[in-house]
Amino acid sequence: MISISSLEFQHGTGEFHLRVPEFTVAEYEKVAVIGPSGSGKTTLLNLIAGILTPKTGTVSVNHTQVSSLPDAERRDFRIANIGFVFQDFELLDYLNVLDNILHPYRITRALLLNKEVRDRARALAENMDIADKLQRYPDGLSHGEKQRAAICRALLPQPKLILADEATGNLDPDNKQVILDLLFDSVRNHDATLLAVTHDHELLKHFDRVIDFQHFRNGASV
Amino acid sequence: MVNFKYCYLGLCLIFGIFGVVTSAESGSKRDKPTVAVANYPLKYFTERIVGNHVEVIFPIPSDIDPAFWIPEPNGVLAFQSADVILLNGATYSKWLDKVTLLRRKMVNTSEGFQEQYIQIQEFTTHRHGPQGKHAHAGLAFTTWIDFQQAIQQAEAIRNAVTKLLPEQEKHFGTNFLALKTDLLNLDRRIEEIVNRRRARPLLASHPVYNYFARRYGLNIRSVLWEPEIVPNARQWAELENIIKEHPAKWMIWEGDPHPDSIARLESLGIGSVVFDPAGNVPDNGDFLSVMHQNVQNLKSAYR
Amino acid sequence: MSRAVSTPLVVGVKGSALDLVMSTLYFDDAVPELMTMAETDRIEDSGLALPIPVYARFQARGFPIVGTTLDYFAFRGLEIADGRQLAIIGETVLGAKAAEALGLGPGDFLVSSPETPFDLAGVYPLKMNVVGILAESHTSDDLAVFVDLKTAWIIEGLGHGHQDLIKNKDASLVLERNEKNVTANAKLRLYTEISEINLDAFHFHGDRSQYRLTALITVPHDSKSGTLLRGRYVSPAAATQIVQPVEVIDGLLQNIFRIKNVIDAIIMVVGIATILAILLVFALSLRLRQREIQTIFKLGCSRLTIVRLMAAEILIILVFSSVLCVGMMTVVDHFKNDLVRIAFIR
């Protein structure tokens, strides 16, 4: 599903340096990425999503070489194939839950908002147990509910790859488990692949594979 | 606010400084210019001079003495509507102090001889006619029965209307000369009548003959009688006092006297003649015919 | 200003030209020193100009009484809308707004106000008959009470009738009545009235040429006459002055414009500060919303769309504020003449 080779990335200032000689994730695999802060985990996710482009090397997702696509196509590819779940949920305060879930459809032309999408959004909310909160605004939700809404938003376009950046980092232990279960169920139901960055070593046992980012700093391949 | 100055500059350009000004001169916009007159002699003179080129209005009712008119709004508005207001002068129109009229429209027809106005010494108020009390004090104003003065007044009228309608100058001049001839004729006739008998004492029923007496050198004493009212005992006594030192045989009246007055005067050996100053429109005839009649009447007093 | 432009020259006693013009053109209650009628004759005799006397010294229930001649109405283009023109002394014609404010129409009467509240030695107020209402002219004439010059002199006490004490049957005058006495209350002879009964007896005293005026609006027959006439007033010994209202009012406006320039400068500084503040607010708001922008970017929004979104928001704010601004400007613009009058001229 994901295949990275000889990747080198440098932030504009040149201070931060990331080198990934080899990195692959198979289809339907659930992979956790761990590593100390500042080791480049989030940068890796951004490179895979095509938000950042590497200096050298290639990034392929689902057999498409993301790193060599032009900007607009790379964006369209991301919208169609990759769902993002963030640590801070990143819901918009001024939209209610339903509008937050539908928001990606409203800001890009690549996605078409129709009745079928709306129905699917409701079904997803049902699954996530927030169907009765759709008209609420993020302020009135608990952290768990916010993250459910954020997962709904990420899953709605039916991506084949879900990138979760510390998705459980802001949740209490009970919620962590519930959200992770929901995430795993969803990934399974959608036949998707999951790449999750986490600090939480307790959760690692649930993943198929764990990659310690320490390796990349040392130039190792995974 | 912002465009204030530009607005003002624009207005300056549009109006000019003096541009608007002439509009203030606008009088009444009618086909014919209008002249209003303050008494009948002026009306007659004006009509003679202007023919039908100018409309002559005389807003004072015909049943009162124009000198003592109590102004009422409609009459005043009629005067206002005129382009020129012809006045007799010599404080004839006392009502002028009480009305709203433009001084610059007024023409004092007797201005030419204002140095010769006669100051009346007697200071009596009396009452007659519908106009209430009035006084013969200050200046004598029956100027036109001195026909030389009448000619000067007519000349002032000619000048005023010529200013109003300059294109009619010749026409007005011709008409004025015809009027002047008529007035001179009257003047000459009176001269002929009174000639060599000027010192003969004469009585006047009312003090309106001052200019007449001065012009023709007559010896006239006045009482304050009204033609239509028979004098009372005090007035008769007064008369008898006067004739002791002023043995007049005739009394001149402004209008036809009461028969009783005529009879009582005759008993005193005094005859009655009428010399109507024609201050208002006469019942019969016009100014000229009334004056000719006056002259005719005068003949009996100077036979 | 247009009134100053349309009034070519004003003659009055030497002193404040501004007072003279304000009093003659706008009937300001600061009455300048008074001149005499002799000046009218002087100008009339010169044959250079038409003098229109204005005697704006007295008031009636808060409105200026303007004594003048018929020339004034013609000169200002004032038409009678209701009733008729002045004809007899004691009559008054009201400006449209004065009539409205006083609730008076032809047939009503209006009593002049004493010159000062404690004017015990002064003459009795005059009861004036309202005979006409002028059409609205949108000038200070709308607020004036017009009378014949002679009527103004009667208010001053220069003319009177001998039958001031009219036999009055008004029962409200009687304070107490017993078999021997009738006591009148203070209402008796509270004002003078010119009626048909005493009109004939009304007369003026003294030398008419010494009667007083506020000023003469002087209308030269042509610009050359105007120049000649002005030349006759240059002597420093002359007791009177001739002024061009345009120049006087222009001088006043120059001052106003000077003030206006200062205000403009202040407005400009405030404006720049406001724009900077607005920019700061937008910048801060963008910074605060950086995460939100980042989020929608990660969700797949193109940078162009983000810029468009932000631009649309700013545009909406600008449009709303512009509409508000235009609305307020329209209101101010609509009342600007009144505002200027209230602020600077009264």
Side-chain angles (χ1 to χ4, degrees):
Chain A
M1 187 69 195
I2 303 170
S3 137
I4 295 174
S5 63
S6 338
L7 180 136
E8 265 189 51
F9 176 79
Q10 198 167 8
H11 267 297
T13 51
E15 219 173 90
F16 181 75
H17 199 80
L18 181 69
R19 188 180 296 133
V20 184
E22 199 67 45
F23 179 92
T24 51
V25 175
E27 219 165 339
Y28 313 129
E29 204 177 7
K30 298 189 280 290
V31 176
V33 178
I34 57 167
S37 290
S39 56
K41 303 188 295 291
T42 302
T43 304
L44 179 72
L45 293 193
N46 284 342
L47 284 163
I48 294 166
I51 292 167
L52 298 174
T53 46
K55 196 177 156 197
T56 57
T58 57
V59 179
S60 292
V61 175
N62 209 6
H63 314 298
T64 304
Q65 199 174 320
V66 180
S67 53
S68 60
L69 288 175
D71 274 4
E73 281 179 39
R74 204 163 64 229
R75 199 170 57 236
D76 288 349
F77 178 81
R78 179 166 81 244
I79 292 162
N81 296 285
I82 300 169
F84 241 110
V85 181
F86 308 96
Q87 179 178 6
D88 292 328
F89 330 125
E90 308 289 1
L91 297 174
L92 300 178
D93 291 339
Y94 50 83
L95 297 178
N96 65 23
V97 172
L98 181 61
D99 285 332
N100 262 299
I101 294 171
L102 295 174
H103 199 51
Y105 283 80
R106 293 206 168 104
I107 56 175
T108 72
R109 292 208 189 114
L111 297 172
L112 182 70
L113 181 60
N114 54 26
K115 188 175 179 298
E116 188 248 314
V117 173
R118 289 173 194 277
D119 290 345
R120 203 163 69 226
R122 282 176 207 285
L124 269 170
E126 197 80 42
N127 280 342
M128 294 286 175
D129 216 15
I130 52 164
D132 55 338
K133 311 266 169 27
L134 286 178
Q135 298 307 319
R136 291 219 198 149
Y137 286 84
D139 279 353
L141 299 179
S142 68
H143 281 348
E145 286 163 344
K146 284 181 188 173
Q147 195 58 296
R148 287 170 211 230
I151 293 169
C152 283
R153 180 176 64 189
L155 291 175
L156 188 61
Q158 296 173 314
K160 287 292 154 203
L161 173 62
I162 291 173
L163 301 174
D165 191 358
E166 303 274 12
T168 56
N170 269 342
L171 301 177
D172 56 79
D174 290 346
N175 257 321
K176 273 180 190 170
Q177 193 58 57
V178 174
I179 293 295
L180 200 68
D181 288 348
L182 277 171
L183 199 55
F184 283 174
D185 284 351
S186 309
V187 167
R188 202 174 304 119
N189 292 343
H190 283 88
D191 293 335
T193 306
L194 175 66
L195 179 63
V197 168
T198 182
H199 273 110
D200 208 327
H201 289 260
E202 277 179 35
L203 300 175
L204 296 179
K205 56 181 183 270
H206 301 288
F207 287 89
D208 299 336
R209 191 151 60 97
V210 176
I211 294 164
D212 188 347
F213 227 69
Q214 210 68 41
H215 294 296
F216 295 119
R217 304 242 82 173
N218 304 329
S221 297
V222 179
Chain B
M1 179 92 184
V2 180
N3 292 329
F4 227 141
K5 195 159 193 173
Y6 299 106
C7 285
Y8 144 55
L9 285 173
L11 279 172
C12 271
L13 285 173
I14 293 162
F15 290 109
I17 303 295
F18 300 101
V20 211
V21 160
T22 32
S23 63
E25 297 283 326
S26 67
S28 45
K29 293 262 185 292
R30 267 169 299 190
D31 306 343
K32 270 193 209 178
T34 307
V35 170
V37 293
N39 64 20
Y40 173 67
L42 295 175
K43 175 176 156 72
Y44 176 79
F45 297 165
T46 311
E47 282 172 346
R48 282 283 304 266
I49 292 168
V50 299
N52 50 17
H53 293 284
V54 174
E55 193 185 339
V56 180
I57 55 170
F58 179 36
I60 297 175
S62 59
D63 61 341
I64 59 171
D65 184 343
F68 301 104
W69 181 46
I70 296 173
E72 41 76 36
N74 286 337
V76 178
L77 293 175
F79 272 110
Q80 284 179 6
S81 72
D83 298 298
V84 172
I85 300 165
L86 296 174
L87 299 172
N88 190 69
T91 67
Y92 180 86
S93 302
K94 307 248 186 306
W95 49 267
L96 280 175
D97 263 0
K98 293 145 196 167
V99 300
T100 302
L101 286 179
L102 283 176
R103 232 167 42 145
R104 64 181 171 84
K105 284 186 178 182
M106 299 178 190
V107 173
N108 174 8
T109 55
S110 63
E111 197 176 12
F113 52 89
Q114 59 181 346
E115 303 295 317
Q116 282 87 49
Y117 285 158
I118 295 174
Q119 190 79 34
I120 299 182
Q121 301 304 326
E122 306 102 285
F123 211 104
T124 3
T125 62
H126 60 134
R127 186 186 292 273
H128 60 81
Q131 306 116 14
K133 210 152 69 165
H134 71 257
H136 288 275
L139 298 176
F141 52 69
T142 317
T143 52
W144 61 91
I145 46 178
D146 167 347
F147 294 107
Q148 290 293 344
Q149 288 184 170
I151 289 167
Q152 290 188 56
Q153 289 186 265
E155 195 167 5
I157 293 170
R158 184 202 61 183
N159 294 342
V161 293
T162 305
K163 218 163 140 189
L164 192 61
L165 270 186
E167 66 272 23
Q168 296 296 335
E169 185 180 2
K170 209 171 166 188
H171 181 69
F172 293 160
T174 315
N175 292 345
F176 164 70
L177 285 179
L179 173 65
K180 185 180 178 181
T181 310
D182 289 342
L183 292 170
L184 279 174
N185 185 26
L186 280 169
D187 186 61
R188 201 195 62 245
R189 279 190 67 196
I190 294 176
E191 280 282 0
E192 282 168 11
I193 291 169
V194 302
N195 195 21
R196 289 193 299 276
R197 300 180 189 85
R198 293 180 207 270
R200 179 181 289 186
L202 212 61
L203 286 166
S205 66
H206 219 83
V208 295
Y209 299 100
N210 313 60
Y211 294 106
F212 179 69
R214 181 177 71 183
R215 163 72 188 117
Y216 304 106
L218 307 181
N219 182 15
I220 298 182
R221 287 280 299 266
S222 291
V223 287
L224 282 170
W225 292 6
E226 302 307 324
E228 66 275 16
I229 300 168
V230 181
N232 57 29
R234 193 184 51 78
Q235 290 175 306
W236 284 113
E238 198 184 339
L239 176 76
E240 281 165 28
N241 269 336
I242 291 172
I243 53 176
K244 277 179 201 160
E245 55 189 55
H246 185 78
K249 295 291 172 216
W250 292 92
M251 180 179 275
I252 313 173
W253 294 81
E254 292 173 279
D256 287 330
H258 195 281
D260 291 356
S261 304
I262 300 177
R264 177 115 184 229
L265 280 172
E266 263 171 13
S267 72
L268 294 168
I270 300 170
S272 294
V273 294
V274 173
F275 194 105
D276 180 2
N280 212 323
V281 186
D283 296 334
N284 299 302
D286 59 15
F287 181 82
L288 209 61
S289 67
V290 170
M291 289 303 153
H292 276 295
Q293 187 57 52
N294 287 340
V295 172
Q296 198 63 37
N297 296 345
L298 204 61
K299 272 186 181 167
S300 40
Y302 285 93
R303 248 195 311 265
Chain C
M1 191 68 216
S2 61
R3 201 167 168 81
V5 174
S6 62
T7 310
L9 293 169
V10 169
V11 173
V13 167
K14 265 192 185 161
S16 162
L18 186 60
D19 274 359
L20 180 65
V21 169
M22 294 307 278
S23 175
T24 312
L25 267 58
Y26 306 104
F27 316 128
D28 194 273
D29 38 6
V31 179
E33 231 184 299
L34 300 172
M35 62 189 299
T36 62
M37 273 297 278
E39 200 66 34
T40 315
D41 301 330
R42 190 177 145 191
I43 292 171
E44 215 157 52
D45 294 345
S46 75
L48 295 171
L50 169 70
I52 305 173
V54 171
Y55 194 17
R57 172 178 166 189
F58 304 100
Q59 298 210 325
R61 289 172 62 187
F63 292 92
I65 295 176
V66 180
T68 186
T69 64
L70 292 175
D71 275 334
Y72 186 85
F73 300 94
F75 172 64
R76 292 280 188 225
L78 300 172
E79 300 281 344
I80 300 279
D82 188 16
R84 61 166 171 84
Q85 184 53 272
L86 299 169
I88 315 268
I89 50 171
E91 291 178 346
T92 178
V93 162
L94 305 181
K97 281 184 182 158
E100 200 186 315
L102 295 170
L104 297 177
D108 297 330
F109 66 86
L110 175 63
V111 180
S112 68
S113 312
E115 208 171 3
T116 66
F118 308 106
D119 190 13
L120 294 176
V123 289
Y124 285 99
L126 180 70
K127 180 177 170 183
M128 300 175 285
N129 303 313
V130 179
V131 296
I133 309 295
L134 294 171
E136 198 165 354
S137 65
H138 304 284
T139 65
S140 31
D141 293 330
D142 288 343
L143 290 166
V145 171
F146 289 100
V147 296
D148 189 280
L149 203 48
K150 290 186 281 289
T151 308
W153 289 330
I154 290 169
I155 295 171
E156 194 184 349
L158 296 171
H160 62 93
H162 281 314
Q163 289 158 314
D164 271 353
L165 266 170
I166 304 154
K167 279 170 195 157
N168 211 313
K169 286 172 185 151
D170 185 353
S172 70
L173 297 180
V174 178
L175 192 67
E176 185 190 336
R177 193 193 292 267
N178 59 34
E179 281 167 32
K180 290 177 190 164
N181 271 318
V182 175
T183 313
N185 65 18
K187 189 178 167 189
L188 182 65
R189 281 206 65 191
L190 220 54
Y191 49 75
T192 311
E193 183 177 6
I194 302 173
S195 65
E196 278 175 44
I197 304 160
N198 67 355
L199 175 64
D200 195 38
F202 248 92
H203 58 270
F204 292 88
H205 290 277
D207 179 1
R208 188 72 66 94
S209 69
Q210 293 309 305
Y211 281 18
R212 292 189 287 179
L213 295 175
T214 307
L216 285 170
I217 291 175
T218 306
V219 188
H221 298 314
D222 49 60
S223 59
K224 191 184 162 205
S225 302
T227 314
L228 283 172
L229 196 64
R230 293 183 74 185
R232 297 190 180 188
Y233 287 85
V234 291
S235 155
T240 46
Q241 61 174 338
I242 190 162
V243 297
Q244 255 183 304
V246 168
E247 281 177 4
V248 175
I249 297 294
D250 192 33
L252 175 69
L253 288 182
Q254 290 294 338
N255 281 329
I256 294 176
F257 285 133
R258 225 164 281 151
I259 297 166
K260 181 190 163 293
N261 286 340
V262 173
I263 293 172
D264 279 353
I266 292 168
I267 286 173
M268 196 177 283
V269 170
V270 171
I272 289 170
T274 308
I275 288 167
L276 288 176
I278 289 170
L279 288 177
L280 187 67
V281 166
F282 282 137
L284 285 175
S285 124
L286 280 179
R287 182 171 291 185
L288 277 173
R289 295 174 64 185
Q290 198 56 52
R291 267 183 72 127
E292 178 195 331
I293 293 165
Q294 202 57 48
T295 305
I296 56 177
F297 177 66
K298 281 181 184 169
L299 289 177
C301 190
S302 72
R303 289 195 189 277
L304 185 66
T305 309
I306 291 169
V307 169
R308 277 196 203 139
L309 274 171
M310 296 295 144
E313 284 175 22
I314 291 169
L315 196 70
I316 287 168
I317 292 169
L318 289 181
V319 165
F320 267 103
S321 51
S322 303
V323 168
L324 193 68
C325 242
V326 167
M328 283 160 66
M329 291 285 281
T330 311
V331 171
V332 169
D333 190 57
H334 189 259
F335 294 107
K336 69 178 175 211
N337 285 339
D338 290 334
L339 287 172
V340 168
R341 201 167 295 143
I342 288 164
F344 301 108
I345 299 171
R346 251 175 301 156

